[in-house]
């Protein structure tokens, strides 16, 4: 029998965390929540809950969403993992629908478009989340590699074994850790989109603020660095059939492409990318350092070497 776990990485979501948890506990075998050192009452609200199938863990210091989700999933024992935000709500049939879809061994991940809700939990027009409400692409792997993330993370479910074998969420990524994981899961099998929503995705001030959408905000600059890292990191590790799928989507001559060396294939895709992505190896290297066991020490060593080279 396929068992299910809902996992939540929460940070400063005291107003919504109870709704988020209660939307899952009655429909899955276990719920695991990691509170990422919230500075509001999120941790207190979680500690006051007494559901039999709920486990709560508190990070002593903020570890970020990737490490928090990795910790939550490491604590589960279920076959199927349902991802959810601490301010979102899963719909009643979510677990049953996703469990039925994942029985197909060719499917590596299941997702849906979300219903959009506001801070009060009322339904909002779907066009308020245009990044997710898009037609299903012919090849999700190629679409993810060549464009932006079109998959709503709180709607996603995957096998625990696939998640672990794919390496989990990259700890050095703060914004596109889901995009990075979806690409690696897409190499393992199909990404199946359900016909009906399985989650209510909450739009509020903290996820539509100027920090997120400014033309030259720190968040946008970080986003660009992570986009380049995700694309180039995936290309460097992708299997030959995946590179061929991307080449086909770009419109390259696949016969000539297949005859190239892996290194030349990567270069051709980079040069043919619609966004003309320019490699920034030093910035990508910083992402790698941030994902290490001791990122602060690694970054300190990097800084020391840079200062020495300019002395």
């Amino acid at each position: 029998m396929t068992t299910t776990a809902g996992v939540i990485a929460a940070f400063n979501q005291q107003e919504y965390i109870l709704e988020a948890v209660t939307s899952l506990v009655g429909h899955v075998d276990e719920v695991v929540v990691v509170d990422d050192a919230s500075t509001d009452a999120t941790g207190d609200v979680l500690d006051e809950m007494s559901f039999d199938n709920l486990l709560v863990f508190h990070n002593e210091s903020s570890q970020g969403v990737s490490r928090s989700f990795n910790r939550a999933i490491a604590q589960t024992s279920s076959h199927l993992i349902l991802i959810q935000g601490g301010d979102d709500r899963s719909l009643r049939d979510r677990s049953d629908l996703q469990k039925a879809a994942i029985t197909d061994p060719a499917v590596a991940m299941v997702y849906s478009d979300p219903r959009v809700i506001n801070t009060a939990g009322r339904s909002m027009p779907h066009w308020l989340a245009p990044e997710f409400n898009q037609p299903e692409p012919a090849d999700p792997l190629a679409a993810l590699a060549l464009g932006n993330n079109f998959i709503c993370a709180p709607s996603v479910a995957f096998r625990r074994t696939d998640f672990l074998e794919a390496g989990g969420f990259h700890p050095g990524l703060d914004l596109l850790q889901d995009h990075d994981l979806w690409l690696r899961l897409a190499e393992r099998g199909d990404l199946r989109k359900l016909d009906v929503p399985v989650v209510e995705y909450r739009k509020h001030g903290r996820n539509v603020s100027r920090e997120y959408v400014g033309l030259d905000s720190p968040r946008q600059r970080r986003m660009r660095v992570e986009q380049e890292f995700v694309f180039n990191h995936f290309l460097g590790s992708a299997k030959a059939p995946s590179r061929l799928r991307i080449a086909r989507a770009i419109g390259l001559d696949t016969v000539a492409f297949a005859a190239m060396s892996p290194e030349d294939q990567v270069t051709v895709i980079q040069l043919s990318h619609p966004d003309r992505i320019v490699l920034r190896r030093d910035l990508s290297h910083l992402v790698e350092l941030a994902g290490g066991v001791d990122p602060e020490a690694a970054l300190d060593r990097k800084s020391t070497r840079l200062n020495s080279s300019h002395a």
Side-chain angles (χ1 to χ4, degrees):
M1 182 182 72
T2 300
T3 53
T4 55
V7 297
I8 297 174
F11 178 74
N12 286 358
Q13 292 160 327
Q14 61 181 15
E15 306 99 323
Y16 313 118
I17 191 62
L18 179 60
E19 286 186 52
V21 172
T22 54
S23 73
L24 282 166
V25 288
H27 308 288
V28 295
D29 297 291
E30 55 180 340
V31 177
V32 179
V33 183
V34 171
D35 171 33
D36 191 27
S38 294
T39 57
D40 66 359
T42 297
D44 295 331
V45 175
L46 285 166
D47 288 341
E48 290 172 0
M49 298 183 196
S50 58
F51 300 108
D52 292 339
N53 61 339
L54 172 65
L55 288 174
V56 175
F57 298 89
H58 300 279
N59 290 338
E60 293 184 5
S61 60
S62 182
Q63 300 295 305
V65 66
S66 294
R67 284 187 169 89
S68 297
F69 268 125
N70 288 345
R71 182 183 183 186
I73 294 170
Q75 300 297 327
T76 65
S77 58
S78 295
H79 302 99
L80 183 64
I81 306 297
L82 281 60
I83 296 289
Q84 187 184 289
D87 51 358
D88 303 312
R89 301 187 304 209
S90 287
L91 295 171
R92 181 178 298 274
D93 296 333
R94 175 180 182 177
S95 178
D96 291 339
L97 290 171
Q98 295 192 308
K99 189 159 53 173
I102 210 79
T103 56
D104 183 345
V107 175
M109 191 175 90
V110 185
Y111 70 99
S112 78
D113 288 336
R115 287 183 187 169
V116 183
I117 58 175
N118 64 10
T119 55
R122 298 190 183 94
S123 294
M124 302 289 285
H126 71 274
W127 48 259
L128 286 175
E131 65 272 31
F132 302 133
N133 290 279
Q134 300 179 23
E136 187 173 7
D139 186 343
L141 183 147
L144 285 166
L146 297 171
N148 295 319
N149 182 18
F150 53 85
I151 295 174
C152 180
S155 77
V156 162
F158 44 69
R159 297 180 189 87
R160 186 176 186 272
T161 53
D162 284 334
F163 174 83
L164 296 176
E165 290 173 9
F169 288 109
H170 192 298
L173 297 171
D174 290 329
L175 305 175
L176 299 182
Q177 68 285 338
D178 49 355
H179 193 167
D180 176 68
L181 178 62
W182 307 161
L183 278 165
R184 285 180 277 124
L185 288 176
E187 278 206 301
R188 302 181 65 85
D190 297 336
L191 307 187
R192 175 86 41 95
K193 182 179 179 180
L194 297 175
D195 294 332
V196 295
V198 297
V199 73
E200 292 178 318
Y201 175 72
R202 198 182 301 267
K203 281 280 190 178
H204 51 77
R206 286 196 292 274
N207 60 19
V208 293
S209 69
R210 188 174 302 172
E211 176 193 4
Y212 287 66
V213 299
L215 292 177
D216 192 35
S217 67
R219 191 175 184 89
Q220 282 295 333
R221 292 194 291 272
R222 173 76 188 196
M223 179 78 76
R224 186 60 179 172
V225 170
E226 293 198 8
Q227 283 176 330
E228 291 170 356
F229 172 82
V230 168
F231 173 72
N232 291 303
H233 189 253
F234 176 71
L235 269 189
S237 62
K239 300 172 184 176
S242 298
R243 293 194 299 272
L244 189 62
R245 288 165 65 178
I246 297 169
R248 184 178 296 113
I250 293 174
L252 299 176
D253 182 333
T254 54
V255 175
F257 182 86
M260 296 177 184
S261 69
E263 293 78 12
D264 287 345
Q265 288 181 347
V266 169
T267 300
V268 167
I269 291 175
Q270 288 169 335
L271 294 174
S272 305
H273 192 284
D275 288 342
R276 298 294 189 271
I277 286 181
V278 178
L279 292 178
R280 296 191 176 103
R281 296 187 184 279
D282 284 346
L283 293 177
S284 292
H285 183 53
L286 290 178
V287 174
E288 284 286 13
L289 292 179
V293 176
D294 191 350
E296 291 186 7
L299 290 170
D300 284 342
R301 289 193 296 272
K302 178 75 171 175
S303 177
T304 299
R305 286 196 293 270
L306 286 173
N307 290 335
S308 298
S309 67
H310 290 292

